[in-house]
Amino acid sequence: MIVVIQCAGSKLANAGSLSTPDGRSVRFVAHPELAPDDGEFYARPDDEADKGRSWRDLLLDINRGSAAASPNLLTAGDLYRPAAYRGLLEYVGREKLYILSAGWGLIRSDFLLPEYDITFSGQADAYKRRRKGDRYRDFSMLPLNSVEPLLFFGSKDYLPLFRELSADHRGQRVVLFRSAEPPEVPDCVAVRFETNRRTNWHYEAVERYIAGNLQLPVR
């Protein structure tokens, strides 16, 4: 089974950043034009980095080994602070774990990522919040022609992006939800997750999955 989990706002303290040509660290956000005037260099992943190449292009070159890597870049599976990510890495392995990032797309857990602050959460600061109409050249790194079942751990805010970026997946897609009414996902199998937890409830679902206590209608 392939597992996808949405990204988290909290990153490890030693997470690295990409740098501008003059050596400034890049703070990736959804809307740099709304960011504080605090002297930091803010950018979107698809903004130009140098000579017509976007920051996304540069990051891809770094992962391919055709550009020098910035110090301390962490893989997507190691970037986030909550224990659920390390638990999934140990349980399913790097080859089966993918991260749904609001900044970068659907990416492999072994893909190097910089620190960033982009989210779909409506409670985040405006400059950090990615909106439905924002244009991103999201990565979609799921294996081609795979028929393995795909299990998504994430909130309803991330569900549209998950459906979009996994639309070509040939296997069954299973999404969990905690609301009273199931989400509109006619192309996926929706499974209600019973919990009293309202915030980050998908971490509890991860714990049950690792413990073998999560019943799934997987073909």
Side-chain angles (χ1 to χ4, degrees):
M1 174 178 285
I2 298 173
V3 173
V4 178
I5 182 172
Q6 75 171 61
C7 61
S10 57
K11 319 296 193 298
L12 293 183
N14 63 334
S17 302
L18 299 187
S19 299
T20 64
D22 60 3
R24 290 177 291 171
S25 295
V26 181
R27 291 193 60 185
F28 289 105
V29 296
H31 289 275
E33 74 280 5
L34 301 177
D37 185 12
D38 55 8
E40 298 282 350
F41 184 87
Y42 293 94
R44 294 173 68 254
D46 296 305
D47 286 347
E48 183 174 324
D50 61 9
K51 300 178 181 178
R53 180 171 61 170
S54 70
W55 294 106
R56 186 183 302 274
D57 295 332
L58 174 59
L59 184 61
L60 190 58
D61 287 344
I62 289 172
N63 276 273
R64 288 171 172 169
S66 58
S70 300
N72 299 325
L73 286 186
L74 301 178
T75 63
D78 298 308
L79 178 61
Y80 307 98
R81 189 183 302 273
Y85 299 86
R86 292 185 293 278
L88 283 175
L89 269 178
E90 295 176 3
Y91 188 67
V92 304
R94 290 193 181 275
E95 292 185 358
K96 299 295 184 183
L97 180 61
Y98 289 75
I99 308 296
L100 183 66
S101 164
W104 303 98
L106 185 47
I107 51 183
R108 300 189 312 266
S109 64
D110 63 350
F111 191 80
L112 294 171
L113 280 185
E115 197 279 336
Y116 67 97
D117 208 347
I118 303 173
T119 180
F120 284 105
S121 173
Q123 299 183 11
D125 293 331
Y127 72 99
K128 301 177 182 180
R129 189 166 67 249
R130 175 173 169 177
R131 296 170 177 83
K132 185 177 180 180
D134 291 347
R135 298 185 63 182
Y136 280 71
R137 294 172 53 216
D138 293 300
F139 293 128
S140 183
M141 298 183 178
L142 289 175
L144 295 175
N145 301 318
S146 173
V147 296
E148 282 192 80
L150 190 63
L151 173 61
F152 176 56
F153 291 100
S155 69
K156 63 180 181 180
D157 293 333
Y158 283 76
L159 192 51
L161 186 65
F162 169 75
R163 292 177 62 202
E164 176 186 346
L165 298 183
S166 65
D168 293 333
H169 187 69
R170 296 174 60 187
Q172 182 185 60
R173 291 181 293 166
V174 178
V175 300
L176 305 177
F177 68 97
R178 66 162 299 278
S179 57
E181 295 296 328
E184 292 291 332
V185 285
D187 46 358
C188 301
V189 177
V191 177
R192 189 167 193 270
F193 181 71
E194 299 282 351
T195 178
N196 293 324
R197 187 171 176 177
R198 300 183 62 85
T199 304
N200 292 328
W201 58 268
H202 57 288
Y203 294 154
E204 182 182 335
V206 167
E207 294 173 0
R208 291 196 204 174
Y209 174 67
I210 293 174
N213 297 325
L214 188 63
Q215 294 187 351
L216 300 170
V218 174
R219 295 195 298 265

